[in-house]
Amino acid sequence: MIPEEESPPGGEADADGGLPLLLLPCDGGSVRKGCDPLAQTQRSKLQHRRARINQQINKEMRMRAGAENLFRATNNHKVKETVALELSYVNSNLQLLKEELEELNSCMDVYQNDSDSISVPMVPLGLKETKELDWAEPLKEMIWEHYGEDGALYESEIKDLVELRQAMRTPSRNEAGLELLMEYYSQLYFLDNRFFPPNKNLGIFFHWYDSLTGVPSHQRALAFEKGSVLFNIGALHTQIGARQDRTTLQGVDCAIEAFQKASGAFNYLKENFSNAPSLDMSAASLNMLVRLMIAQVQECVFEKVILLGAQSDFLACLQLAQEAARVEEVYSLVYQTMTQPHVKDYVPFSWTTMVHVKSEHFKALSHCYAAMALCDCPPASDVDLPEHEKAFLQFHVTPPQGPDVRLLLQDQEERRKLGKAHLRKAIMRHEEAMRIHSLCKILRKMDILQEVLCFAHKRSLGKYSEIDHEEDFFETADAPDIHPKTHQRPEIKSPNFSKVKVTDIFHRLGPLSVFSAKNKWLPPRTVRLVRGESGFGFTLRGDSPVLIAGVIAGGCAADAGLKEGDYIVSINGKDCKWSKHAEVVQLLKVAGDEGADVGVITLQYSEGQSVVDKKSSAMGPGVAGGGGSSSLLKSNKENCRKTLMQSKGASSLLAWGKRSKRSKNSSSSSSYSLPFSAMGDNELAC
């Protein structure tokens, strides 16, 4: 399946970072490719600068570590002074690089849409950078030692894996880029099962840089690779959401969907990944990111209500005011999260300031729309008055001073007084938002945000001057806060791994139910089978691979050395790991009286139990082999395939700190739609 691209193959460059590279699918290879890393677009330049700063930070940190070790080791006073001076230079360089990276992370305008319309910019995340990885030698060694095959025969598969990982480093900013990341993420499931045994590591170090600080981290655990890719899935969703044109209903809906999926990716990572080596994947940081994405969803919901509603209607204005109050509430929660000790020194100051500005801005908007409802909308008719009264009773956190609600809504002068109080509070909040905005050097360069704040401030000032009378001698009362309320609550959408179907790159090694890193077996052996008068003398069960369920004592199979529980992996040189029961029977039938060379393996378990002992509860009584191929055709099947059912909770999905416990009596297929789901309980007939 070739995914949809924002620009046709061979067409114009994608606005996010390069030409979409599409190749025809090769043997087991992926059709999804990343962007051209040499394409000089705004986003690619940003990522190149991020990679360069990450490398410089890595270099400076190595120098600092060496200097600190020397400072602790030496007793020479002059050497200590020289090292201390060098450390001050290194720390100064690190601080400058940190500030440069912070400014880079604050370049939100690059990720916004190219529309001429003015809208509040959203906060996107840059992708985590990683180093190139050499899979070849460790995988070849594992294939030779564990699977007993020549690793050189799998160079094509290793090349596909290397190309897939290289491509996922530069995903396009669209659905194709997300599918690319999800495909690699799914392939890591197969790699984990095939090449990472519980008590051994391959000696591969996975290097990733922190998304915000650029500090490098590395681990041997494949879970670190999975977590980093999942983080980039969430980050790419934020970039897709930020680029939407939110002046249209379609753009707002797309932005809501993208930010909800981003929150789901970060939340899934937080719940399933522990002991993170980098700060961006710590529980505190991920919790902050989830709340930030939810706040941005709520902001998009507010914009959607503006596009749908009539602002001259009393109830519509009340709804807008409450929606704005809800946005202010969630951004206030994000600001509190960002100012906590574990997050405060990590999050860019421009992000914290932006969130604080938005909190004040939307609080001002809530009071502004409340004033518009009271001053611009005509009093309700007798028919509509009960509905308006009911809505207004639930509008304020505390009842406003003055007459009761019914009298207030019917008296134009009382409405003007309360509206004036709301406008006064709106202007104060607008001015506070502009003051906070002016404190951040990076935000001062963001013209769009400044235009939005100035426009809203001028609108409130203009409205206030319209309703302010010279003969007003009463003191304007303090307007009560507005009760936050929304008609569409944000939804945290976990990643849907079933959306992208992938094929195990190393499927030639055989079904995962048998040929996995957790299983051990005796070296493969080849036996010569010649059919006797009463047949071959054994029974078969199951598919992929076919199991020898029973061997008749004194028969041809027993004399040749076949054992109960052996798996047939080849017949006369033909690979049979993925062969169906009927196909194996046919190959034996074709061999006839001349006999056949049958390759088999004997699976071993750490508990010392044989395969048949393990599967005795799931097997019925065997059918003795008598009349040659006819007895094989009548034999029962054992290794039935099981359907992967989608789990309803994250707890049953792949655990980050633990290996998933897969059923030992189930066979795997080379193609899965849900590589992280639990096995089904009911076996399917093979």
Side-chain angles (χ1 to χ4, degrees), residues 190 207 339 465 486 498 517 624:
F190 295 113
H207 294 263
T339 52
S465 63
T486 180
S498 64

Side-chain angles (χ1 to χ4, degrees), residues 132-359:
E132 292 187 6
L133 195 61
D134 183 15
W135 295 95
E137 293 305 318
L139 293 186
K140 287 181 180 179
E141 184 178 347
M142 182 69 177
I143 291 172
W144 171 253
E145 291 181 356
H146 189 76
Y147 292 93
E149 298 189 40
D150 187 0
L153 299 176
Y154 290 86
E155 288 184 353
S156 175
E157 284 85 349
I158 295 174
K159 181 181 177 183
D160 289 340
L161 177 62
V162 171
E163 290 179 351
L164 179 60
R165 190 179 191 273
Q166 184 65 22
M168 73 89 196
R169 296 175 64 185
T170 57
S172 56
R173 192 163 44 139
N174 52 24
E175 194 66 26
L178 291 170
E179 290 183 355
L180 174 62
L181 288 171
M182 283 190 145
E183 178 180 357
Y184 179 68
Y185 184 80
S186 300
Q187 286 295 343
L188 293 177
Y189 163 82
F190 295 113
L191 287 174
D192 186 22
N193 284 275
R194 289 203 184 277
F195 298 108
F196 289 82
N199 55 356
K200 179 183 176 182
N201 64 72
L202 297 186
I204 298 177
F205 282 94
F206 301 99
H207 294 263
W208 288 86
Y209 294 94
D210 191 287
S211 175
L212 297 180
T213 64
V215 176
S217 302
H218 65 270
Q219 276 192 354
R220 292 180 178 179
L222 190 66
F224 183 40
E225 180 90 346
K226 297 175 187 174
S228 299
V229 175
L230 186 57
F231 184 94
N232 277 356
I233 291 175
L236 192 58
H237 275 302
T238 68
Q239 296 180 15
I240 293 174
R243 77 176 302 185
Q244 301 301 323
D245 181 7
R246 304 196 311 278
T247 59
T248 64
L249 282 175
Q250 182 181 3
V252 170
D253 286 335
C254 291
I256 290 174
E257 185 73 8
F259 288 127
Q260 287 184 150
K261 289 181 177 179
S263 68
F266 295 134
N267 190 63
Y268 184 87
L269 184 57
K270 181 187 70 173
E271 293 179 350
N272 294 276
F273 190 91
S274 58
N275 301 321
S278 58
L279 285 175
D280 55 355
M281 293 165 61
S282 65
S285 298
L286 292 171
N287 184 54
M288 179 271 296
L289 291 175
V290 170
R291 290 182 175 181
L292 176 60
M293 295 305 114
I294 291 300
Q296 296 191 144
V297 171
Q298 200 68 65
E299 183 178 348
C300 292
V301 171
F302 169 77
E303 294 172 337
K304 184 177 181 180
V305 174
I306 290 180
L307 293 174
L308 291 173
Q311 298 184 28
S312 59
D313 181 70
F314 179 79
L315 294 178
C317 287
L318 292 186
Q319 183 186 10
L320 281 171
Q322 290 187 305
E323 289 283 357
R326 174 60 182 166
V327 178
E328 181 269 331
E329 183 182 50
V330 291
Y331 270 121
S332 295
L333 180 61
V334 176
Y335 179 68
Q336 292 174 12
T337 308
M338 286 184 171
T339 52
Q340 290 178 353
H342 295 293
V343 185
K344 181 178 180 181
D345 296 331
Y346 172 70
V347 177
F349 178 67
S350 59
W351 283 24
T352 307
T353 308
M354 168 75 87
V355 167
H356 197 183
V357 167
K358 285 191 174 186
S359 175

Side-chain angles (χ1 to χ4, degrees), residues 465-539:
S465 63
E466 288 179 10
I467 65 173
D468 186 29
H469 297 165
E470 293 182 0
E471 60 272 15
D472 285 346
F473 295 105
F474 60 86
E475 183 178 352
T476 304
D478 188 26
D481 288 334
I482 297 167
H483 181 69
K485 185 180 178 181
T486 180
H487 80 289
Q488 180 179 343
R489 286 195 169 273
E491 180 183 354
I492 297 178
K493 293 190 174 182
S494 297
N496 182 14
F497 299 111
S498 64
K499 182 179 179 181
V500 180
K501 297 183 183 297
V502 299
T503 301
D504 180 10
I505 291 179
F506 292 91
H507 69 279
R508 283 201 296 142
L509 288 172
L512 271 175
S513 61
V514 176
F515 302 95
S516 65
K518 69 172 184 177
N519 291 334
K520 294 182 180 180
W521 51 84
L522 297 177
R525 66 187 191 278
T526 302
V527 298
R528 181 70 179 176
L529 282 183
V530 179
R531 179 161 40 195
E533 295 180 357
S534 58
F536 286 108
F538 63 90
T539 57

Side-chain angles (χ1 to χ4, degrees), residues 528 551-562:
R528 181 70 179 176
V551 178
I552 299 176
C556 300
D559 294 340
L562 280 182

